[in-house]
Amino acid sequence: VPGVEGVLLRGDDADPELRGLGRAAAGRLREREHPPPRGRGPRVRPGVAPRAPPPCVPLALVARVLVEKAIAVALYSYFPRALAATGVGWLAMASCVCGLALEQSCPADMAEPGQRVCRVPWLSYGAEGSLLAALVLQVLFCQRSSTLFFLDKGCINQEDGDAIARGVSSLGGFLRHSQALVVLWSDDYFQRLWCVFELACFKHFGGHGKSTEFVMIPVILATLVVSGNIFLSGVWMCFDATEYLGVQAMLVEQFGRRAARVLLALVVSASTFSMAYYAVYQLTLLRGKLAAQVASFKTDRASISLEVDRERIEFCICKWYGSLDRFDRYVQENVLEHIKQQLGSSALVPYWAALAFSLPSVFRALDFAVALNVRGAVLCLGYVLIVNPVVFLLVQFSIQQQVLPWYVSALLSWLLLGLLWGAWATIAFEMPLAPFLAVFAALWLCVLWMYQPSLQELKALGFRLGGQGEVREDSDEESADAA
């Protein structure tokens, strides 16, 4: 670089801008003569302060995040087919039960005297086991027929520098040929340059059919759905065990039916409540970080594994957006607004996710339906459609309120959970059938009004509904750049 040495040797009397220019040019010259070894440490760019190395992450935390992301991908890819297979299996089991005229179970401890609330036992456990088995078997054996994903780290060569450069520069073409962008949303997603870059490019260029719609899947929400099915199955198993061991009869004798229902609900639901409370708490933190992370996003401060990738990404950003500042403003304004539209409802656990969480209660309702018992079926459906969604809203409120300490609000939420479960059982058993059905319909409409669910929220569970979303027209030059 002509004149660099002269500028640097002038000392303190040199103009500050010339000294800065000389340092930058000399830095580029040193990098050309002595390039840093590939893959070893961060590369210090001229004029930019070196970044501190990323903190060490515990192996257990890495494993937990990977498991949560794997569950989210499996739910998105296989859940609709697993649910359909479970429905077919349940119909087959119900036909066998009806054909063999197996003995029905008619527990009388929690029901009012003289009521017959009968069901076919163990049918719901078979359906729940079929659902989980269908998910696992598809993950293990049906990957060739599953949804195909373009994952940057797995689909772009990470060893050859030229191949990495070609892959990064072709990222717009990969996105243009993708039908959807699935965001596995964790707490550091909007702090990573690769993730925000791909999201902004998909929003800018569009995917297959020029759709700019993407699917936001909080990884903790997918874990809540899957683990909720396991834990809620355990709740119903504990409930049946208390009936078989005579605990229900003892509680009714000691405290009366109404108090016994509440006490039993508190005991058997403690584990499920703890898991739900933890998931809603994590979702609260996640939603709270979203606006701050996106609104303050800066390309030069975003984290990246290899600094050499940063230069390639910044080259594409400047080519597509004109400058880094324009890209930062685009992320802070357009992308943030689009993310808020995708999230939709203010409920941290969407209504459809609450229903998927409560599938064991759906299967238990089908136990009563096979026995032609309307009261018992509507009782279990009430837990699915009304009680459990209201519990999630109460937990969210208890976490977000700023008046009571967290342990007091958590205790009150758990007590309200038991009270709601017991109160719903009391309504189901003590009211005549016709008024009970009317109350069920009215409460269900109230819950739907509070949640205002949309078909968009079903996409996180793998259901391709609700259209293609926003579609944009782009110029021939943008199409050529993306290709």
Side-chain angles (χ1 to χ4, degrees):
V1 182
V4 168
E5 295 181 2
V7 172
L8 291 177
L9 292 176
R10 289 181 60 185
D12 294 337
D13 59 339
D15 183 77
E17 294 185 1
L18 292 178
R19 289 205 307 271
L21 177 62
R23 293 191 188 97
R28 287 194 295 270
L29 184 62
R30 284 194 298 270
E31 285 189 355
R32 291 175 187 174
E33 295 177 351
H34 306 286
R38 180 177 299 166
R40 294 186 181 180
R43 180 178 180 179
V44 180
R45 294 183 298 158
V48 178
R51 294 174 179 81
C56 296
V57 181
L59 183 61
L61 178 60
V62 175
R64 180 179 66 82
V65 172
L66 290 177
V67 169
E68 289 178 346
K69 291 184 177 181
I71 291 174
V73 173
L75 205 67
Y76 177 80
S77 303
Y78 305 120
F79 182 71
R81 286 184 289 184
L83 198 59
T86 303
V88 173
W90 179 86
L91 289 175
M93 289 186 293
S95 300
C96 294
V97 167
C98 294
L100 296 175
L102 296 181
E103 182 180 358
Q104 299 178 0
S105 173
C106 302
D109 295 327
M110 292 297 166
E112 293 298 309
Q115 280 185 341
R116 284 181 56 83
V117 185
C118 301
R119 67 183 185 92
V120 177
W122 312 116
L123 192 59
S124 57
Y125 300 133
E128 182 62 27
S130 300
L131 176 65
L132 297 177
L135 278 174
V136 174
L137 290 176
Q138 286 186 93
V139 171
L140 295 178
F141 301 109
C142 299
Q143 295 192 14
R144 290 184 178 272
S145 62
S146 65
T147 303
L148 297 179
F149 294 90
F150 173 83
L151 182 65
D152 49 18
K153 196 172 184 64
C155 299
I156 295 179
N157 192 322
Q158 300 294 308
E159 302 296 332
D160 185 358
D162 293 335
I164 294 177
R166 291 195 301 271
V168 174
S169 62
S170 303
L171 191 58
F174 294 135
L175 293 173
R176 173 55 60 89
H177 288 81
S178 299
Q179 294 179 346
L181 179 66
V182 180
V183 175
L184 302 181
W185 183 21
S186 55
D187 56 355
D188 63 340
Y189 184 89
F190 293 101
Q191 295 177 332
R192 294 155 59 188
L193 182 56
W194 266 111
C195 299
V196 179
F197 173 60
E198 292 170 348
L199 182 60
C201 290
F202 189 81
K203 179 70 172 64
H204 180 71
F205 290 113
H208 183 71
K210 300 181 181 178
S211 172
T212 59
E213 186 175 0
F214 55 89
V215 182
M216 295 276 294
I217 305 180
V219 292
I220 189 63
L221 185 63
T223 305
L224 172 68
V225 171
V226 175
S227 58
N229 278 262
I230 299 174
F231 276 82
L232 204 55
S233 296
V235 167
W236 286 119
M237 291 181 67
C238 292
F239 185 84
D240 291 338
T242 57
E243 175 196 347
Y244 179 78
L245 298 175
V247 177
Q248 293 185 14
M250 181 190 68
L251 291 175
V252 170
E253 183 180 355
Q254 293 290 330
F255 304 101
R257 281 187 172 81
R258 293 183 180 180
R261 292 163 186 158
V262 175
L263 291 174
L264 194 61
L266 288 173
V267 173
V268 300
S269 65
S271 59
T272 304
F273 172 78
S274 302
M275 183 264 302
Y277 191 92
Y278 171 77
V280 174
Y281 176 73
Q282 294 297 323
L283 288 170
T284 303
L285 296 179
L286 196 62
R287 187 75 70 95
K289 292 179 180 178
L290 171 65
Q293 290 178 350
V294 180
S296 61
F297 175 81
K298 290 291 184 181
T299 303
D300 57 354
R301 293 204 302 261
S303 63
I304 196 168
S305 300
L306 296 175
E307 285 298 318
V308 68
D309 290 345
R310 184 184 298 274
E311 296 182 358
R312 300 187 178 104
I313 293 177
E314 290 179 353
F315 174 79
C316 292
I317 289 175
C318 293
K319 180 180 179 181
W320 293 343
Y321 290 87
S323 66
L324 297 183
D325 291 336
R326 290 183 61 185
F327 175 74
D328 292 343
R329 288 195 300 270
Y330 182 82
V331 172
Q332 295 166 6
E333 297 172 3
N334 299 61
V335 174
L336 179 59
E337 183 64 26
H338 199 65
I339 290 172
K340 291 181 178 179
Q341 293 176 1
Q342 291 292 314
L343 294 177
S345 173
S346 60
L348 297 177
V349 179
Y351 186 71
W352 302 111
L355 299 191
F357 171 89
S358 307
L359 280 178
S361 299
V362 176
F363 299 142
R364 195 171 183 91
L366 296 177
D367 286 358
F368 289 101
V370 172
L372 302 179
N373 190 287
V374 177
R375 187 183 296 272
V378 176
L379 166 67
C380 293
L381 287 179
Y383 289 121
V384 179
L385 302 174
I386 300 172
V387 178
N388 289 346
V390 171
V391 168
F392 280 116
L393 290 180
L394 288 175
V395 171
Q396 178 179 339
F397 174 77
S398 68
I399 292 176
Q400 295 178 347
Q401 59 85 31
Q402 303 293 329
V403 179
L404 299 175
W406 70 268
Y407 50 88
V408 176
S409 63
L411 179 61
L412 291 177
S413 300
W414 177 52
L415 294 176
L416 283 175
L417 168 62
L419 183 62
L420 284 173
W421 279 26
W424 177 247
T426 299
I427 293 174
F429 287 127
E430 295 186 3
M431 290 186 68
L433 183 59
F436 170 55
L437 295 178
V439 170
F440 169 79
L443 292 177
W444 187 19
L445 290 176
C446 292
V447 172
L448 291 177
W449 176 79
M450 288 189 293
Y451 269 92
Q452 298 181 0
S454 65
L455 294 179
Q456 180 72 28
E457 297 169 350
L458 276 172
K459 293 186 177 181
L461 299 175
F463 292 94
R464 312 309 198 260
L465 299 172
Q468 291 187 342
E470 180 186 355
V471 177
R472 66 183 296 271
E473 297 293 336
D474 52 9
S475 63
D476 296 337
E477 183 179 356
E478 286 180 332
S479 298
D481 284 343

